């Protein structure tokens, strides 16, 4: 009998390094990396583009039936297509981050994106990162990790990432955005950010990237045997 696919769920607040680490682990394990934040970002982006306030539940809900979301892998990298358009490069701005956080608090949006996330894991070995992967999307994942770091460290890392890309931001503004998103993401009613009871906790505040990858790799290898 064919073995069922393996799932590794990585949850945690923004800027903890989930995506960089998950990508690197996925490569080593030859699993597919699924960045679920990109889906919420794409919905937030489409709302902004349509002139919709991302906090307006009714207007966002009315937009959903007009969005055909697809995930594709091009040269191993995830791309998100909305109505056939690749929006992957347009969803990384601070404005879209805030819009993503707003739309992600809407149960209708979470329901809308649920099947897409689940279906990928039905037929592929995946490393999936997000906020509710171990708790809601893949509660039966063989490995669950909750990756976190202090808000100051996460803001510093995000600040460096954004300035490298030429975004005009200040550290204080990035920290303020991050604290607001942390608060909103963990206090919303629908699938709030929290560690699954059976998740292994990793705090990357005093670890560099390589060290964090090594710690996470050891957890995954131990769990998968
Ligand atoms: O991981 P990210 O920063 O790209 O996520 C963008 C927003 O989407 C974040 O504020 C919370 C939300 N999100 C979520 O609610 N559930 C997920 N599984 C992934 C992201």
């Amino acid at each position: 009998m064919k073995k069922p696919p393996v799932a590794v769920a990585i949850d945690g607040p923004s800027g903890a390094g989930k995506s960089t680490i998950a990508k690197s682990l996925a490569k080593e394990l030859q699993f597919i990396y699924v960045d679920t934040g990109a889906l919420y970002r794409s919905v937030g982006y489409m709302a902004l583009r349509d002139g919709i306030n991302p906090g307006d539940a009714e207007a966002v809900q009315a937009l959903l039936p007009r969005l055909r979301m697809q995930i594709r892998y091009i040269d191993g990298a995830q791309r998100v297509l909305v109505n056939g358009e690749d929006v992957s490069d347009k969803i990384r701005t601070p404005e879209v981050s805030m819009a993503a956080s707003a739309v992600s608090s809407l149960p209708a949006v979470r329901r809308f994106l649920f099947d897409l996330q689940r279906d990928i894991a039905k037929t592929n070995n995946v490393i999936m990162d997000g906020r509710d992967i171990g708790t809601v999307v893949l509660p039966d994942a063989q490995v669950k990790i909750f990756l976190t770091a202090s808000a100051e460290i996460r803001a510093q890392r995000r600040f460096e990432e954004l300035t490298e890309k030429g975004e005009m931001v200040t550290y204080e503004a990035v920290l303020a955005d991050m604290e607001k998103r942390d608060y909103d993401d963990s206090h919303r009613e629908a699938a709030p950010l929290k560690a699954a009871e059976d998740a292994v906790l990793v705090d990357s505040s005093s670890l560099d990237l390589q060290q964090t990858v090594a710690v996470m790799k050891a957890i995954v290898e131990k769990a998968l045997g």
Side-chain angles (χ1 to χ4, degrees):
M1 219 172 67
K2 213 170 156 260
K3 277 207 291 184
V6 176
V8 177
I10 302 182
D11 291 300
S14 53
K18 294 189 301 290
S19 64
T20 314
I21 288 154
K23 247 184 240 166
S24 152
L25 278 177
K27 211 172 190 179
E28 282 195 38
L29 295 165
Q30 295 199 311
F31 283 16
I32 287 188
Y33 165 56
V34 188
D35 165 9
T36 63
L39 300 173
Y40 292 93
R41 285 173 179 275
S42 300
V43 172
Y45 170 73
M46 294 307 287
L48 291 177
R49 207 164 82 171
D50 254 27
I52 293 170
N53 171 357
D56 181 340
E58 265 177 41
V60 173
Q61 194 162 347
L63 170 72
L64 299 178
R66 287 189 275 128
L67 304 182
R68 191 168 52 89
M69 311 283 303
Q70 292 170 297
I71 291 186
R72 289 273 175 279
Y73 289 87
I74 299 174
D75 295 332
Q78 173 183 307
R79 312 297 296 181
V80 179
L81 275 62
V82 185
N83 300 334
E85 178 189 346
D86 186 341
V87 297
S88 316
D89 297 328
K90 299 170 185 152
I91 58 175
R92 298 289 157 197
T93 65
E95 197 190 7
V96 175
S97 296
M98 296 315 277
S101 183
V103 300
S104 74
S105 71
L106 306 175
V109 171
R110 308 203 72 85
R111 275 196 304 275
F112 176 69
L113 296 175
F114 184 79
D115 288 342
L116 183 57
Q117 300 171 74
R118 266 287 256 272
D119 287 348
I120 299 174
K122 273 189 196 149
T123 44
N124 300 282
N125 292 331
V126 294
I127 292 201
M128 193 175 283
D129 84 16
R131 304 295 188 287
D132 62 338
I133 309 306
T135 50
V136 177
V137 178
L138 303 174
D140 298 326
Q142 288 85 343
V143 190
K144 296 181 188 177
I145 300 174
F146 193 82
L147 178 65
T148 188
S150 74
E152 289 75 17
I153 298 257
R154 288 184 287 116
Q156 182 62 36
R157 291 176 186 159
R158 181 54 55 90
F159 171 69
E160 284 165 15
E161 216 176 274
L162 289 169
T163 41
E164 247 166 57
K165 280 199 293 185
E167 296 266 350
M168 300 293 283
V169 288
T170 63
Y171 166 76
E172 287 71 23
V174 175
L175 177 62
D177 271 9
M178 190 148 279
E179 286 176 334
K180 172 160 175 27
R181 276 216 289 156
D182 281 359
Y183 184 87
D184 292 348
D185 292 347
S186 46
H187 287 80
R188 67 182 181 218
E189 249 168 62
L193 167 68
K194 68 164 194 260
E197 274 175 20
D198 49 350
V200 181
L201 236 72
V202 176
D203 186 330
S204 73
S205 300
S206 58
L207 303 176
D208 67 20
L209 195 64
Q210 266 180 328
Q211 291 168 322
T212 315
V213 171
V215 168
M216 308 250 303
K217 194 171 168 223
I219 294 169
V220 172
E221 281 172 349
K222 187 165 168 231
L224 298 182

